[in-house]
Each structure stands twice: as structure tokens, then as C-alpha cells.
Amino acid sequence: MSIDEKIMTGIRNRDEQALADLYDRYHRIIWNIARQADPNHSVCEQLVTHVFRAVWTKPQDFMHHRKLLASLIDCCRTQLLFLHNKT
């Protein structure tokens, strides 16, 4: 079992440490993607929060056969589109 699979199993079992591990592993990547799209610090914070909250509330949406990082990036980009279409 890969590290990502172990983390996602923990999240599915409501293990908060698993969510912290996921955050530690990927938050910089998600932040950098958000920052490239929108340099506003508060928008970046919103995006990062949204992505990790989405994983916590619906882990099944991130447990695909594809790589977890790709799912996290897709979630970030989808939220970016949503935020930019709201304004």
C-alpha cells in the first residue's frame, strides 16, 4: 500500500492525523498552484482550505485509480474557476 493510500484510508476512517499528514505532504503544491492563478493571499488560503476540507468531507471523491495529487490539483482548479466566475 502506498503512502497516499494509507493516508486516504486513515481519512476515510476519520483519523485527523491522516489529514494532517496529507496537508503536510501536499499543501505547498496546492498553495503554489493557487498563487500562480491568483496572487491574493486570502484567495490562496481559501483555496487550500477548500481542497483539504473537500478531502475530509468526501474522501471517496479522492480515492480513484489515478494519483491523489492529480485529484487534489483538479479540486483546486475547479474551485479557482468557481471563485473567478463568481466575481
Side-chain angles (χ1 to χ4, degrees), residues 5 8 58-68 70-72 74:
E5 289 170 328
M8 289 308 297
K58 291 190 175 184
Q60 67 278 5
D61 290 352
F62 296 84
M63 299 179 83
H64 304 112
H65 294 298
R66 58 190 280 190
K67 295 211 176 256
L68 176 58
S71 294
L72 296 172
D74 283 350

Side-chain angles (χ1 to χ4, degrees), residues 10-11 14-16 19 51-59 62:
I11 290 172
R14 312 313 290 161
D15 179 358
E16 291 180 8
L19 181 63
V51 169
F52 291 98
R53 184 177 294 139
V55 174
W56 183 252
T57 59
K58 291 190 175 184
F62 296 84

Side-chain angles (χ1 to χ4, degrees), residues 1-17:
M1 184 180 286
S2 73
I3 293 172
D4 286 347
E5 289 170 328
K6 288 178 184 176
I7 289 172
M8 289 308 297
T9 297
I11 290 172
R12 190 178 65 225
N13 292 326
R14 312 313 290 161
D15 179 358
E16 291 180 8
Q17 182 59 52

Side-chain angles (χ1 to χ4, degrees), residues 12-78:
R12 190 178 65 225
N13 292 326
R14 312 313 290 161
D15 179 358
E16 291 180 8
Q17 182 59 52
L19 181 63
D21 293 343
L22 180 71
Y23 181 85
D24 289 345
R25 189 167 166 85
Y26 291 119
H27 81 276
R28 285 186 188 102
I29 295 169
I30 301 303
W31 179 272
N32 286 333
I33 290 168
R35 198 179 80 204
Q36 286 173 359
D38 193 321
N40 183 315
H41 185 83
S42 66
V43 170
C44 293
E45 283 182 355
Q46 278 183 291
L47 287 165
V48 171
T49 299
H50 172 82
V51 169
F52 291 98
R53 184 177 294 139
V55 174
W56 183 252
T57 59
K58 291 190 175 184
Q60 67 278 5
D61 290 352
F62 296 84
M63 299 179 83
H64 304 112
H65 294 298
R66 58 190 280 190
K67 295 211 176 256
L68 176 58
L69 179 57
S71 294
L72 296 172
I73 290 169
D74 283 350
C75 181
C76 181
R77 288 183 175 153
T78 299

